């Protein structure tokens, strides 16, 4: 069943409840051999260069496709664990008015912590592999950065080259790197707390943030071309080419395999 990923501003109360309940079920149970903490493990493991000296998730061309596959797996697991094939990951358009940090959704914040209600310890939402010495989900919204503006998003979306050498955080004019630094990193720092660490998926807003990143990439692809990933087959300088497997996802899960979201079973409203 194909799902439509909605802006949080357009979600019904029932859709919000279905999403947060599915997250809780995956946190306390499992689906398809994975539980919620598996996702935190993978983000920590592939955050930077791995033992094979390859960058998978960040500061490399595979930033976009790695997270696209990562979100796709979570969405499938949420549907399985909840028994509801209509569950979807919503996106948070940071330039809009709607906030995910409400008592009926991802939890209201008191003194930098989500201490009661949704995603609090009393809700069985304990921190996993936390580098912050607390069992409470931590947020420092707006203390370290501001949200991107619509004008800043438009500037990033105007870059025409997907990525280029040296394929890392120093590339000045690639769409991948400008998005990763100016939008992706900025929002992680804007939320702060656990979102500003390697174990960022402890905070469920991680998924809404990355869903918006994926949506922006899909918009860019529709403008610049679906098959625009660089580097191409045969490039072996410490990054993933378009037909190399992205770990930990297994054989065949390459950037080319996830370039088009339609076969992946979702679209954006």
């Amino acid at each position: 069943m194909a799902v439509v990923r909605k802006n949080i501003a357009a979600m019904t109360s029932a859709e919000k409840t279905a999403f947060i309940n599915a997250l809780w079920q995956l946190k306390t149970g499992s689906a398809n051999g994975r539980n919620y903490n598996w996702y935190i493990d993978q983000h920590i493991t592939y955050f930077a260069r791995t033992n094979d000296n390859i960058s998978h998730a960040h500061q490399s061309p595979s930033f976009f496709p790695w997270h696209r596959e990562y979100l796709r797996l979570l969405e499938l697991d949420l549907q399985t664990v909840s028994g509801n094939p209509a569950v979807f990951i919503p996106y948070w358009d940071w330039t809009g008015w709607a906030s995910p940090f409400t008592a009926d959704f991802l939890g209201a914040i008191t003194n930098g912590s989500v201490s009661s209600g949704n995603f609090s310890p009393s809700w069985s939402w304990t921190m996993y592999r936390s580098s912050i010495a607390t069992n409470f989900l931590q947020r420092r919204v707006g203390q370290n950065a501001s949200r991107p503006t619509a004008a800043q998003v438009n500037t990033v979306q105007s870059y025409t080259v997907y990525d280029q050498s040296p394929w890392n955080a120093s590339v000045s004019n690639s769409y991948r790197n400008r998005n990763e630094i100016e939008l992706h990193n900025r929002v992680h720092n804007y939320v702060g707390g656990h979102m500003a660490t390697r174990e960022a998926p402890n905070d469920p807003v991680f998924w809404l943030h990355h869903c918006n990143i994926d949506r922006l990439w899909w918009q860019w692809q529709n403008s610049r071309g679906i098959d625009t990933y660089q580097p191409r087959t045969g490039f072996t300088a410490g990054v993933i080419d378009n037909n190399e497997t992205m770990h930990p996802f297994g054989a065949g899960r390459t950037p080319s395999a996830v370039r088009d979201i339609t076969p992946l079973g979702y679209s954006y409203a």
Side-chain angles (χ1 to χ4, degrees):
M1 175 181 175
V3 296
V4 178
R5 294 178 176 177
K6 293 184 179 180
N7 188 326
I8 61 170
M11 293 178 77
T12 66
S13 178
E15 288 169 337
K16 289 181 178 180
T17 298
F19 177 66
I20 63 175
N21 284 350
L23 286 171
W24 180 83
Q25 288 173 290
L26 193 61
K27 182 72 169 179
T28 57
S30 64
N32 304 313
R34 295 178 290 268
N35 62 14
Y36 192 90
N37 289 347
W38 180 89
Y39 287 91
I40 300 172
D41 282 332
Q42 306 320 308
H43 196 261
I44 292 171
T45 298
Y46 295 99
F47 187 87
R49 284 187 179 268
T50 51
N51 291 335
D52 57 7
N53 199 34
I54 294 177
S55 296
H56 289 266
H58 301 99
Q59 298 184 12
S60 68
S62 50
F63 165 71
F64 284 120
W66 192 93
H67 284 92
R68 177 170 285 176
E69 178 69 359
Y70 188 54
L71 265 67
R72 185 189 76 92
L73 283 182
L74 180 89
E75 194 165 63
L76 292 173
D77 286 348
L78 294 179
Q79 293 164 0
T80 298
V81 77
S82 66
N84 182 359
V87 169
F88 61 89
I89 301 174
Y91 66 88
W92 173 28
D93 179 357
W94 340 282
T95 68
W97 58 267
S99 170
F101 306 123
T102 58
D104 68 333
F105 197 26
L106 299 193
I109 306 163
T110 304
N111 297 323
S113 296
V114 181
S115 55
S116 62
N118 295 348
F119 302 102
S120 69
S122 63
W123 201 68
S124 297
W125 199 262
T126 55
M127 297 300 94
Y128 176 69
R129 296 183 67 179
S130 176
S131 60
I132 303 173
T134 178
N135 271 331
F136 292 82
L137 178 56
Q138 301 289 304
R139 293 174 181 147
R140 301 287 187 270
V141 175
Q143 293 185 20
N144 300 309
S146 59
R147 290 183 295 166
T149 66
Q152 289 165 335
V153 171
N154 290 338
T155 296
V156 170
Q157 292 294 97
S158 71
Y159 282 89
T160 59
V161 175
Y162 177 82
D163 211 350
Q164 59 187 347
S165 180
W167 317 105
N168 57 28
S170 70
V171 181
S172 63
N173 61 343
S174 83
Y175 173 64
R176 186 276 311 166
N177 196 42
R178 296 331 317 159
N179 184 303
E180 186 173 358
I181 291 176
E182 296 172 25
L183 306 182
H184 165 264
N185 292 359
R186 184 172 185 165
V187 174
H188 273 280
N189 291 325
Y190 168 75
V191 176
H194 283 99
M195 266 287 279
T197 68
R198 293 188 177 207
E199 65 274 14
N202 270 300
D203 191 335
V205 78
F206 174 95
W207 306 107
L208 282 62
H209 169 44
H210 272 278
C211 192
N212 198 43
I213 293 290
D214 185 69
R215 180 182 71 96
L216 292 175
W217 180 33
W218 180 241
Q219 288 180 345
W220 187 90
Q221 288 180 287
N222 276 283
S223 174
R224 310 295 179 185
I226 302 299
D227 190 16
T228 45
Y229 182 87
Q230 294 288 340
R232 309 303 286 183
T233 302
F235 191 89
T236 57
V239 296
I240 300 296
D241 72 32
N242 64 314
N243 282 316
E244 283 187 275
T245 296
M246 301 180 294
H247 298 312
F249 306 125
R253 305 319 295 166
T254 66
S256 288
V258 301
R259 65 190 177 193
D260 187 349
I261 68 173
T262 303
L264 300 181
Y266 69 91
S267 61
Y268 286 104

